Amino acid sequence: EQAEAALQRPNPDDKVTVLLLDELDYLLTRNENVIYTLFDWPTRQHARLVVVGIANTMDLIEKLTPRVQSRLGLKRIKFAPYKRADIVTIVTERLRRLGEVFDEDAIHFCAAKVAGVSGDVRRALQICRRATKICEANIKSPKSKNRGKFKLVGMEEIDMAIKSLFASSDMQFLSNLPLYPRFLVVTLAQYCMANKTDHGPREEVFRRMNNYLDHKSKPQVTFPEFNDIVQTLASQRLLVKNYKVALRSYNIRLNVQVEDLVHCLAEDSELSAILATV
């Protein structure tokens, strides 16, 4: 209400306010009132306001109703995933304030692991934080030969960090999925990566999954069976169903990191060809 009132009054100092909305995906609601209101504010008579939205979903604008799209500008900037050299630069800069703590080869090893799958620098930093704790615990351990000694975080700690992060409950579920659920999550991941989106239409994922099964000489699934698999994976929190009430359907979204999925199923000979495109 205060913002609404301020936008109705002339701005005496003529200053422009920039409103930056990060993780815009999470502001989406069924009626889209929140996101509509935010982008409608700059159209007010006395508004000296610029609204900038940041989202992980490449086709977020296309998913909005025409009512909301009418309030959005035409300027769209796409940021590609970070490459190995980019991740090395960012992580090195972030760690510089700690002093000389990480072995340079360890940073390159971490960057290579992350860049090979998703290019998500947040995952690289998460691995580094975990590796630091592993190294610290090793120094404090009475049984460690490095007890009390200064030691750089090296490739061994990075490798242990990656393995420990991949030992979560989600990873356990992924590693022990039956055949058809494995095909479904990999099909969904491949669709999302190919189309630069975070979700897949239920019917399209169903069609692609059966194509992959047929290529591998596996029996195809019926649509009811497919829906049952989706429901099971959703109950395990590996998938999320985004309902489209008007169309009486829903999209499917992975609720796990793509790199986790690739790591768990990389040795699966049935899925290796599909995973190579993720």
Side-chain angles (χ1 to χ4, degrees):
E1 293 180 356
Q2 292 179 345
E4 290 278 359
L7 293 171
Q8 303 299 329
R9 299 190 301 266
N11 191 340
D13 55 17
D14 209 35
K15 289 183 178 179
V16 176
T17 300
V18 177
L19 177 60
L20 183 64
L21 305 174
D22 197 6
E23 302 290 356
L24 194 60
D25 321 56
Y26 293 99
L27 293 179
L28 287 178
T29 58
R30 182 169 296 180
N31 57 25
E32 299 181 343
N33 280 342
V34 174
I35 197 168
Y36 176 85
T37 300
L38 289 169
F39 283 97
D40 184 56
W41 280 349
T43 66
R44 304 300 170 82
Q45 180 181 358
H46 299 293
R48 300 282 293 168
L49 178 67
V50 175
V51 178
V52 179
I54 302 175
N56 294 317
T57 308
M58 297 289 289
D59 61 343
L60 178 66
I61 296 177
E62 287 72 22
K63 291 166 60 177
L64 301 171
T65 61
R67 169 176 172 263
V68 178
Q69 289 185 27
S70 69
R71 293 296 180 266
L72 299 178
L74 300 178
K75 183 83 172 184
R76 188 186 329 200
I77 302 174
K78 296 180 180 179
F79 295 94
Y82 288 112
K83 297 180 180 179
R84 176 177 177 176
D86 300 325
I87 297 175
V88 169
T89 301
I90 294 171
V91 172
T92 302
E93 184 61 32
R94 289 287 296 271
L95 295 176
R96 184 172 297 163
R97 49 185 91 164
L98 300 177
E100 191 176 354
V101 177
F102 275 75
D103 181 74
E104 186 176 343
D105 289 339
I107 297 176
H108 282 267
F109 177 56
C110 176
K113 286 287 187 179
V114 174
V117 181
S118 67
D120 188 346
V121 73
R122 293 172 296 184
R123 176 51 67 98
L125 293 171
Q126 184 183 18
I127 291 172
C128 288
R129 280 194 295 270
R130 179 61 183 154
T132 302
K133 292 180 180 179
I134 292 173
C135 185
E136 183 180 11
N138 183 33
I139 292 173
K140 293 181 179 179
S141 173
K143 299 180 180 180
S144 173
K145 60 182 180 181
N146 296 314
R147 185 185 181 188
K149 300 178 181 178
F150 175 77
K151 181 181 182 300
L152 292 176
V153 179
M155 295 178 63
E156 180 183 1
E157 287 77 20
I158 291 291
D159 189 48
M160 292 173 64
I162 293 171
K163 291 177 180 178
S164 68
L165 288 173
F166 288 151
S168 65
S169 58
D170 288 345
M171 300 296 290
Q172 296 299 322
F173 277 126
L174 288 171
S175 298
N176 294 284
L177 285 177
L179 177 66
Y180 288 115
R182 290 205 306 273
F183 266 90
L184 195 156
V185 295
V186 170
T187 301
L188 176 57
Q190 195 280 332
Y191 175 89
C192 292
M193 295 297 288
N195 292 276
K196 294 181 170 52
T197 182
D198 68 344
H199 68 278
R202 175 181 57 170
E203 293 76 10
E204 178 61 16
V205 177
F206 169 69
R207 184 188 69 81
R208 291 185 178 221
M209 175 181 168
N210 273 334
N211 284 345
Y212 288 136
L213 288 169
D214 188 54
H215 182 70
K216 289 292 183 179
S217 301
K218 303 291 182 184
Q220 296 188 358
V221 296
T222 64
F223 199 58
E225 289 172 339
F226 175 83
N227 283 329
D228 288 342
I229 297 171
V230 171
Q231 183 58 43
T232 299
L233 292 172
S235 67
Q236 295 172 335
R237 299 177 181 270
L238 300 178
L239 295 181
V240 175
K241 297 191 291 185
N242 295 326
Y243 285 93
K244 301 161 64 178
V245 178
L247 300 178
R248 296 184 179 180
S249 183
Y250 56 81
N251 292 324
I252 312 169
R253 178 169 59 84
L254 278 174
N255 199 34
V256 294
Q257 296 283 343
V258 174
E259 56 260 40
D260 294 350
L261 178 66
V262 173
H263 179 83
C264 288
L265 303 179
E267 303 301 322
D268 192 320
S269 59
E270 300 282 1
L271 300 169
S272 58
I274 312 174
L275 286 171
T277 65
V278 174

Short mmCIF file of all heavy atoms in Angstrom, two decimals, residues 1 30 62 65 68 77 92-93 125-126 151 155 197 206 212 216 227 259 261 274:
data_model
loop_
_atom_site.label_atom_id
_atom_site.label_comp_id
_atom_site.label_asym_id
_atom_site.label_seq_id
_atom_site.Cartn_x
_atom_site.Cartn_y
_atom_site.Cartn_z
N GLU A 1 0.83 -1.21 0.00
CA GLU A 1 0.00 0.00 0.00
C GLU A 1 0.87 1.27 0.00
O GLU A 1 0.55 2.25 -0.66
CB GLU A 1 -0.93 0.00 1.21
CG GLU A 1 -1.99 -1.09 1.17
CD GLU A 1 -2.90 -1.08 2.39
OE1 GLU A 1 -2.64 -0.25 3.31
OE2 GLU A 1 -3.85 -1.87 2.42
N ARG A 30 -0.71 -18.95 -9.18
CA ARG A 30 -1.73 -19.37 -10.12
C ARG A 30 -2.38 -18.19 -10.84
O ARG A 30 -2.63 -18.22 -12.04
CB ARG A 30 -2.78 -20.22 -9.40
CG ARG A 30 -3.86 -20.77 -10.31
CD ARG A 30 -4.70 -21.80 -9.61
NE ARG A 30 -3.91 -22.98 -9.25
CZ ARG A 30 -4.40 -24.04 -8.62
NH1 ARG A 30 -5.66 -24.06 -8.25
NH2 ARG A 30 -3.64 -25.07 -8.33
N GLU A 62 7.35 -16.72 -21.92
CA GLU A 62 6.37 -17.46 -22.71
C GLU A 62 5.38 -18.21 -21.82
O GLU A 62 4.27 -18.53 -22.27
CB GLU A 62 7.08 -18.45 -23.64
CG GLU A 62 7.77 -17.81 -24.83
CD GLU A 62 9.03 -17.03 -24.46
OE1 GLU A 62 9.61 -17.31 -23.40
OE2 GLU A 62 9.43 -16.15 -25.24
N THR A 65 0.81 -15.38 -18.79
CA THR A 65 -0.39 -15.05 -19.54
C THR A 65 -0.17 -13.76 -20.33
O THR A 65 0.69 -12.94 -19.97
CB THR A 65 -1.59 -14.87 -18.59
OG1 THR A 65 -1.31 -13.79 -17.69
CG2 THR A 65 -1.84 -16.13 -17.79
N VAL A 68 0.05 -10.53 -18.24
CA VAL A 68 1.33 -10.21 -17.59
C VAL A 68 2.39 -9.84 -18.63
O VAL A 68 3.16 -8.91 -18.42
CB VAL A 68 1.81 -11.38 -16.73
CG1 VAL A 68 3.15 -11.07 -16.08
CG2 VAL A 68 0.78 -11.72 -15.65
N ILE A 77 18.14 -10.62 -21.76
CA ILE A 77 19.56 -10.95 -21.81
C ILE A 77 19.72 -12.39 -21.33
O ILE A 77 19.28 -12.73 -20.23
CB ILE A 77 20.41 -10.00 -20.93
CG1 ILE A 77 20.21 -8.55 -21.39
CG2 ILE A 77 21.88 -10.38 -21.01
CD1 ILE A 77 20.89 -7.54 -20.49
N THR A 92 38.44 -18.69 -7.43
CA THR A 92 39.72 -18.15 -6.97
C THR A 92 39.54 -16.77 -6.34
O THR A 92 40.14 -16.46 -5.30
CB THR A 92 40.72 -18.06 -8.15
OG1 THR A 92 40.91 -19.36 -8.72
CG2 THR A 92 42.06 -17.52 -7.68
N GLU A 93 38.73 -15.94 -6.97
CA GLU A 93 38.48 -14.59 -6.45
C GLU A 93 37.77 -14.65 -5.11
O GLU A 93 38.08 -13.89 -4.19
CB GLU A 93 37.64 -13.80 -7.47
CG GLU A 93 37.40 -12.35 -7.07
CD GLU A 93 38.68 -11.55 -6.93
OE1 GLU A 93 39.64 -11.84 -7.67
OE2 GLU A 93 38.71 -10.65 -6.08
N LEU A 125 31.20 -23.72 -5.35
CA LEU A 125 31.46 -23.13 -4.03
C LEU A 125 31.01 -24.05 -2.91
O LEU A 125 31.64 -24.12 -1.85
CB LEU A 125 30.75 -21.77 -3.94
CG LEU A 125 31.29 -20.68 -4.88
CD1 LEU A 125 30.38 -19.46 -4.86
CD2 LEU A 125 32.71 -20.28 -4.48
N GLN A 126 29.91 -24.75 -3.14
CA GLN A 126 29.44 -25.71 -2.14
C GLN A 126 30.46 -26.83 -1.94
O GLN A 126 30.73 -27.25 -0.80
CB GLN A 126 28.10 -26.30 -2.59
CG GLN A 126 27.45 -27.24 -1.58
CD GLN A 126 26.17 -27.85 -2.11
OE1 GLN A 126 25.91 -27.85 -3.31
NE2 GLN A 126 25.37 -28.38 -1.21
N LYS A 151 47.74 -27.31 6.33
CA LYS A 151 47.64 -28.10 5.10
C LYS A 151 46.69 -27.40 4.13
O LYS A 151 45.59 -26.99 4.51
CB LYS A 151 47.12 -29.51 5.41
CG LYS A 151 47.00 -30.41 4.18
CD LYS A 151 46.46 -31.78 4.59
CE LYS A 151 46.39 -32.71 3.37
NZ LYS A 151 45.52 -32.20 2.30
N MET A 155 43.30 -31.85 -3.85
CA MET A 155 42.40 -32.62 -4.70
C MET A 155 41.75 -33.77 -3.94
O MET A 155 40.61 -34.15 -4.24
CB MET A 155 43.17 -33.15 -5.91
CG MET A 155 43.67 -32.04 -6.84
SD MET A 155 44.65 -32.65 -8.23
CE MET A 155 43.44 -33.64 -9.10
N THR A 197 15.23 -25.17 -20.48
CA THR A 197 14.11 -24.90 -19.58
C THR A 197 14.27 -25.77 -18.35
O THR A 197 15.17 -26.62 -18.28
CB THR A 197 12.77 -25.19 -20.28
OG1 THR A 197 11.69 -24.88 -19.41
CG2 THR A 197 12.67 -26.65 -20.71
N PHE A 206 6.42 -38.17 -21.96
CA PHE A 206 5.88 -39.52 -22.16
C PHE A 206 6.26 -40.04 -23.55
O PHE A 206 6.72 -41.18 -23.70
CB PHE A 206 4.36 -39.48 -21.99
CG PHE A 206 3.64 -40.73 -22.43
CD1 PHE A 206 3.78 -41.91 -21.73
CD2 PHE A 206 2.83 -40.71 -23.56
CE1 PHE A 206 3.13 -43.07 -22.14
CE2 PHE A 206 2.17 -41.85 -23.98
CZ PHE A 206 2.31 -43.03 -23.27
N TYR A 212 12.73 -43.69 -26.47
CA TYR A 212 13.99 -44.21 -25.95
C TYR A 212 13.85 -45.69 -25.58
O TYR A 212 14.75 -46.49 -25.84
CB TYR A 212 14.44 -43.41 -24.73
CG TYR A 212 14.94 -42.02 -25.05
CD1 TYR A 212 14.55 -40.92 -24.28
CD2 TYR A 212 15.80 -41.79 -26.11
CE1 TYR A 212 15.00 -39.64 -24.56
CE2 TYR A 212 16.27 -40.52 -26.41
CZ TYR A 212 15.86 -39.45 -25.63
OH TYR A 212 16.31 -38.19 -25.92
N LYS A 216 15.78 -49.03 -27.25
CA LYS A 216 16.54 -49.99 -26.45
C LYS A 216 15.84 -51.35 -26.38
O LYS A 216 16.23 -52.22 -25.58
CB LYS A 216 16.72 -49.45 -25.02
CG LYS A 216 17.69 -48.28 -24.92
CD LYS A 216 19.12 -48.71 -25.24
CE LYS A 216 20.10 -47.58 -25.07
NZ LYS A 216 21.49 -48.03 -25.35
N ASN A 227 1.88 -42.01 -15.63
CA ASN A 227 1.39 -41.13 -14.56
C ASN A 227 1.68 -41.71 -13.18
O ASN A 227 1.99 -40.97 -12.24
CB ASN A 227 -0.11 -40.89 -14.72
CG ASN A 227 -0.42 -39.89 -15.83
OD1 ASN A 227 0.36 -38.99 -16.10
ND2 ASN A 227 -1.56 -40.07 -16.48
N GLU A 259 23.61 -32.54 -12.24
CA GLU A 259 24.90 -33.20 -12.06
C GLU A 259 24.80 -34.39 -11.10
O GLU A 259 25.52 -35.37 -11.24
CB GLU A 259 25.98 -32.22 -11.57
CG GLU A 259 25.64 -31.50 -10.30
CD GLU A 259 25.13 -30.10 -10.57
OE1 GLU A 259 24.38 -29.93 -11.53
OE2 GLU A 259 25.50 -29.20 -9.82
N LEU A 261 22.15 -36.32 -10.91
CA LEU A 261 21.53 -37.36 -11.74
C LEU A 261 22.58 -38.03 -12.63
O LEU A 261 22.64 -39.26 -12.71
CB LEU A 261 20.42 -36.72 -12.59
CG LEU A 261 19.68 -37.63 -13.57
CD1 LEU A 261 18.89 -38.67 -12.82
CD2 LEU A 261 18.76 -36.80 -14.45
N ILE A 274 21.88 -41.40 -23.77
CA ILE A 274 21.03 -40.24 -23.46
C ILE A 274 21.79 -39.28 -22.56
O ILE A 274 21.78 -38.06 -22.76
CB ILE A 274 19.72 -40.65 -22.79
CG1 ILE A 274 19.04 -41.80 -23.57
CG2 ILE A 274 18.76 -39.46 -22.68
CD1 ILE A 274 17.81 -42.34 -22.90
#
